[in-house]
Short mmCIF file of all heavy atoms in Angstrom, two decimals:
data_model
loop_
_atom_site.label_atom_id
_atom_site.label_comp_id
_atom_site.label_asym_id
_atom_site.label_seq_id
_atom_site.Cartn_x
_atom_site.Cartn_y
_atom_site.Cartn_z
N CYS A 1025 42.87 -104.39 153.48
CA CYS A 1025 44.23 -104.81 152.90
C CYS A 1025 44.19 -106.37 152.63
O CYS A 1025 44.02 -107.15 153.61
CB CYS A 1025 45.41 -104.44 153.79
SG CYS A 1025 46.92 -104.98 153.26
N PRO A 1026 44.40 -106.66 151.38
CA PRO A 1026 44.29 -108.13 151.00
C PRO A 1026 45.54 -109.03 151.49
O PRO A 1026 45.48 -110.24 151.48
CB PRO A 1026 44.16 -108.17 149.50
CG PRO A 1026 44.91 -106.92 149.05
CD PRO A 1026 44.69 -105.95 150.16
N THR A 1027 46.62 -108.41 151.82
CA THR A 1027 47.84 -109.23 152.08
C THR A 1027 48.27 -109.18 153.55
O THR A 1027 49.21 -109.83 153.96
CB THR A 1027 49.00 -108.57 151.30
OG1 THR A 1027 49.38 -107.23 151.84
CG2 THR A 1027 48.65 -108.48 149.79
N ALA A 1029 49.51 -106.41 154.79
CA ALA A 1029 50.60 -105.50 154.83
C ALA A 1029 50.27 -104.32 155.83
O ALA A 1029 51.08 -103.78 156.56
CB ALA A 1029 50.90 -104.93 153.33
N SER A 1030 48.98 -103.94 155.78
CA SER A 1030 48.58 -102.91 156.67
C SER A 1030 48.02 -103.56 157.99
O SER A 1030 47.20 -104.49 157.91
CB SER A 1030 47.37 -102.10 156.15
OG SER A 1030 47.81 -101.17 155.14
N VAL A 1041 52.54 -100.13 157.89
CA VAL A 1041 52.51 -100.93 156.56
C VAL A 1041 53.90 -101.63 156.50
O VAL A 1041 54.90 -101.02 156.71
CB VAL A 1041 52.38 -100.08 155.41
CG1 VAL A 1041 52.36 -100.69 154.07
CG2 VAL A 1041 51.04 -99.09 155.49
N MET A 1045 55.28 -106.42 151.95
CA MET A 1045 54.05 -107.23 151.75
C MET A 1045 52.98 -106.35 150.96
O MET A 1045 51.96 -106.88 150.70
CB MET A 1045 53.51 -107.55 153.10
CG MET A 1045 54.16 -108.63 153.93
SD MET A 1045 53.64 -108.82 155.60
CE MET A 1045 52.04 -109.58 155.24
N CYS A 1046 53.30 -105.10 150.71
CA CYS A 1046 52.43 -104.27 149.93
C CYS A 1046 52.46 -104.60 148.49
O CYS A 1046 53.57 -104.65 147.94
CB CYS A 1046 52.67 -102.85 150.23
SG CYS A 1046 51.58 -101.72 149.30
N ILE A 1047 51.33 -104.87 147.87
CA ILE A 1047 51.34 -105.23 146.47
C ILE A 1047 50.91 -104.02 145.64
O ILE A 1047 50.71 -104.01 144.41
CB ILE A 1047 50.47 -106.28 146.03
CG1 ILE A 1047 48.97 -106.09 146.58
CG2 ILE A 1047 51.04 -107.63 146.55
CD1 ILE A 1047 47.90 -107.20 146.16
N GLY A 1048 50.66 -102.77 146.33
CA GLY A 1048 50.32 -101.59 145.63
C GLY A 1048 49.02 -101.43 145.04
O GLY A 1048 48.68 -100.71 144.05
N CYS A 1049 48.00 -102.22 145.59
CA CYS A 1049 46.70 -102.21 145.02
C CYS A 1049 45.88 -100.94 145.46
O CYS A 1049 45.02 -100.64 144.71
CB CYS A 1049 45.80 -103.45 145.59
SG CYS A 1049 45.55 -103.37 147.39
N LYS A 1050 46.36 -100.26 146.43
CA LYS A 1050 45.88 -98.96 146.89
C LYS A 1050 44.46 -99.09 147.42
O LYS A 1050 43.71 -97.95 147.56
CB LYS A 1050 45.81 -97.93 145.68
CG LYS A 1050 47.26 -97.68 145.23
CD LYS A 1050 47.46 -96.62 144.16
CE LYS A 1050 48.86 -96.58 143.55
NZ LYS A 1050 48.93 -95.70 142.45
N ALA A 1051 43.95 -100.18 147.86
CA ALA A 1051 42.69 -100.43 148.40
C ALA A 1051 42.63 -99.56 149.73
O ALA A 1051 41.62 -98.95 150.12
CB ALA A 1051 42.42 -101.76 148.62
N CYS A 1052 43.70 -99.61 150.36
CA CYS A 1052 43.73 -98.86 151.74
C CYS A 1052 43.61 -97.30 151.53
O CYS A 1052 42.99 -96.62 152.23
CB CYS A 1052 45.06 -99.20 152.47
SG CYS A 1052 46.55 -98.80 151.44
N ARG A 1061 47.13 -91.63 153.30
CA ARG A 1061 48.08 -92.50 152.79
C ARG A 1061 48.42 -91.96 151.43
O ARG A 1061 47.55 -91.44 150.66
CB ARG A 1061 47.50 -93.83 152.66
CG ARG A 1061 47.20 -94.55 154.00
CD ARG A 1061 46.54 -95.92 153.94
NE ARG A 1061 46.63 -96.66 155.22
CZ ARG A 1061 47.18 -97.87 155.32
NH1 ARG A 1061 47.71 -98.49 154.36
NH2 ARG A 1061 47.30 -98.40 156.54
N VAL A 1070 52.66 -98.46 149.73
CA VAL A 1070 52.00 -97.38 150.36
C VAL A 1070 52.74 -96.92 151.66
O VAL A 1070 53.21 -97.76 152.36
CB VAL A 1070 50.50 -97.74 150.65
CG1 VAL A 1070 49.80 -96.88 151.61
CG2 VAL A 1070 49.64 -97.79 149.41
S1 SF4 B 1353 48.26 -100.99 148.76
FE1 SF4 B 1353 49.52 -102.24 150.06
S2 SF4 B 1353 48.95 -101.77 152.16
FE2 SF4 B 1353 47.36 -100.87 150.82
S3 SF4 B 1353 45.76 -102.49 150.70
FE3 SF4 B 1353 47.08 -102.87 149.01
S4 SF4 B 1353 48.56 -104.26 149.77
FE4 SF4 B 1353 47.57 -103.44 151.64
#
Side-chain angles (χ1 to χ4, degrees):
C1025 179
T1027 67
S1030 283
V1041 180
M1045 288 175 70
C1046 176
I1047 56 172
C1049 68
K1050 302 183 183 171
C1052 55
R1061 293 172 166 239
V1070 162

